Amino acid sequence: MNAIEIRDLSKSFRGMYAVDHLNMTVPQGAIYGFIGENGSGKSTTEKLICGHLVPDGGEIKLFGKDYTDPGVRVRVGALIENAGCFPGSSVYQNLRMQTINLGLENPDEEIRRVLEIVRMEDNAHLKFKSCSLGMKQRIGIAMALLGDPALLILDEPINGLDTDGMRIMREILVDITQKYGCTVLISSHILGELEKIATHYGIIRQGRMIMELSAREMDSRAQVFVSLKTKDMEGAEAALRAGFATVRREGDYLRVYDVDDTAGIVDHLMKSGHVPSEIKKNKIGLEEYYIELMSNATDKSEEN
C-alpha cells in the first residue's frame, strides 16, 4: 500500500495553477524528497494533502482512503512554515497544549516519547523563544509526532540549520522511518543533505510532476565521471577531447564523463605530455542531476 496517491490534482489562485493536474505516489515507509524551484507548487501540494487548502479537482488518497476520511486524518502529522508555538511558554507547555487540542490520553508519557525522538528530552523546561533555530525545528517535529502519526509532512525543515543541526535532523528523520515505521514527505532546497537520507524523489516544476524515481534508480541514472587536475589544464583538456567523447571544465577540475578507467585516462595524458596531479572517480549527485533535468525541461518548453 502507498502512503500517498495523488491523481490529476489541481489548485489555482486567481486563474493561475499552483498545482497543475499533479500525479504523485509516495510508498509507505519512504523518505520522499519533494524537490522543485520556489513557486513550483511544493508547499501548496503539502497543504492540500494536509487539508489546509481545498483542491479544484483531482484525487488524494492516504493509505488507500480518501484524504478527508477522519480515520486517515488522525494518522497525519505536519510541520509547514513554522511550529506555531507560544514564544513565552516552555517546550513542555507548548506540547501539553497540543496534546489537549488532540485529545490525547497519557499526555505526559506522549510528550516524553516525542521529546526523546527529537533529542530534546533534557530541554522541556526551556522557553520556546530561548531555543535555537535547530531546536525550534525539532520542537515542531515533536509537535507533529504527537499521536504517533503514520505520515509526517515536513516543509523545508533543514533550511537555515548549521552543519550539526542538519546532521541531527538527518538522524531523527531516519529514526522516524526505521524505528517507528513512519512515512516522511520532506521538501528541501538543500539537495546534498536530502540525498543522504531520501529513498525516493519527486521533482515538480510549474505545478506538474516531471519525474518520480527511487534513490536506487537515480543512482543508476547518474553519470559516472573521472575528475582530474594537471598543471596545464587547457592543454590537458585539448588532449582529452581528442580521445574521449565528453570532457568538460568544471571549476578547478576537468571531468571525463561516462568513463571510469582512470588508468586509461592517465596513460592518454602521459602520452600527450601531461601529468595529472590529482585524479578520482565520481558520480553526478542529486543537485547536478536536478539542475540538468531543469535545464532540459526549460529547453524543451522553449522549443514548444
Side-chain angles (χ1 to χ4, degrees):
M1 181 187 296
N2 293 313
I4 302 174
E5 290 184 8
I6 292 175
R7 297 293 175 264
D8 208 29
L9 183 66
S10 295
K11 179 64 180 178
S12 61
F13 299 97
R14 297 180 181 177
M16 295 185 64
Y17 279 117
V19 176
D20 188 2
H21 299 86
L22 180 80
N23 293 306
M24 181 179 186
T25 303
V26 178
Q28 193 166 347
I31 298 178
Y32 185 100
F34 198 25
I35 306 167
E37 302 162 321
N38 286 334
S40 60
K42 301 188 303 297
S43 294
T44 301
T45 301
E46 291 171 333
K47 289 175 182 177
L48 288 165
I49 295 169
C50 293
H52 298 172
L53 295 172
V54 178
D56 297 341
E59 181 181 60
I60 304 172
K61 285 190 175 182
L62 305 178
F63 303 101
K65 295 183 178 181
D66 186 85
Y67 79 113
T68 60
D69 184 290
V72 165
R73 292 249 51 88
V74 297
R75 302 181 69 189
V76 180
L79 174 60
I80 298 177
E81 295 178 351
N82 57 65
C85 291
F86 292 96
S89 297
S90 70
V91 173
Y92 171 84
Q93 288 167 337
N94 274 290
L95 289 168
R96 185 68 176 87
M97 284 184 276
Q98 184 65 354
T99 63
I100 293 170
N101 290 336
L102 296 172
L104 298 181
E105 297 180 359
N106 303 315
D108 286 339
E109 182 180 328
E110 181 66 2
I111 291 168
R112 281 194 296 271
R113 185 185 74 85
V114 297
L115 285 176
E116 184 177 342
I117 292 173
V118 301
R119 302 356 183 220
M120 292 280 293
E121 59 267 40
D122 295 328
N123 304 112
H125 64 285
L126 293 179
K127 288 188 177 181
F128 184 78
K129 65 182 179 182
S130 302
C131 296
S132 67
L133 176 60
M135 293 171 73
K136 287 177 179 177
Q137 291 294 79
R138 286 149 58 193
I139 294 163
I141 291 177
M143 296 272 281
L145 287 172
L146 288 170
D148 196 19
L151 171 63
L152 189 62
I153 299 174
L154 305 174
D155 186 26
E156 308 282 1
I158 59 177
N159 284 15
L161 302 187
D162 59 21
T163 301
D164 194 51
M166 287 191 283
R167 176 190 60 79
I168 294 170
M169 188 66 74
R170 288 198 311 268
E171 293 173 356
I172 290 168
L173 295 178
V174 171
D175 280 354
I176 288 169
T177 56
Q178 293 185 355
K179 292 183 179 180
Y180 302 97
C182 187
T183 303
V184 177
L185 168 62
I186 173 174
S187 64
S188 177
H189 288 100
I190 307 176
L191 303 188
E193 288 298 311
L194 198 58
E195 186 176 16
K196 295 174 183 177
I197 58 172
T199 62
H200 296 76
Y201 301 102
I203 302 174
I204 186 174
R205 184 173 187 269
Q206 296 177 350
R208 287 179 172 267
M209 186 70 73
I210 62 172
M211 181 175 290
E212 286 188 298
L213 71 168
S214 68
R216 184 176 297 179
E217 288 171 329
M218 202 215 72
D219 187 59
S220 68
R221 295 185 188 189
Q223 280 184 292
V224 175
F225 63 89
V226 173
S227 62
L228 59 94
K229 283 184 177 181
T230 68
K231 186 175 181 179
D232 179 9
M233 294 290 277
E234 290 185 5
E237 183 176 358
L240 288 168
R241 288 186 184 280
F244 300 92
T246 307
V247 180
R248 296 179 194 160
R249 184 78 172 264
E250 300 283 352
D252 296 330
Y253 289 86
L254 286 170
R255 287 186 178 184
V256 185
Y257 285 86
D258 298 322
V259 177
D260 63 1
D261 181 11
T262 54
I265 292 172
V266 170
D267 183 61
H268 182 86
L269 284 170
M270 296 288 283
K271 288 177 180 177
S272 305
H274 300 281
V275 179
S277 59
E278 184 179 339
I279 187 166
K280 56 186 177 182
K281 296 179 184 179
N282 215 326
K283 267 190 175 186
I284 285 179
L286 175 62
E287 187 168 1
E288 286 189 72
Y289 184 84
Y290 169 75
I291 290 170
E292 186 173 340
L293 192 63
M294 289 295 103
S295 177
N296 292 336
T298 299
D299 291 342
K300 288 179 181 179
S301 65
E302 288 175 353
E303 289 174 5
N304 296 331

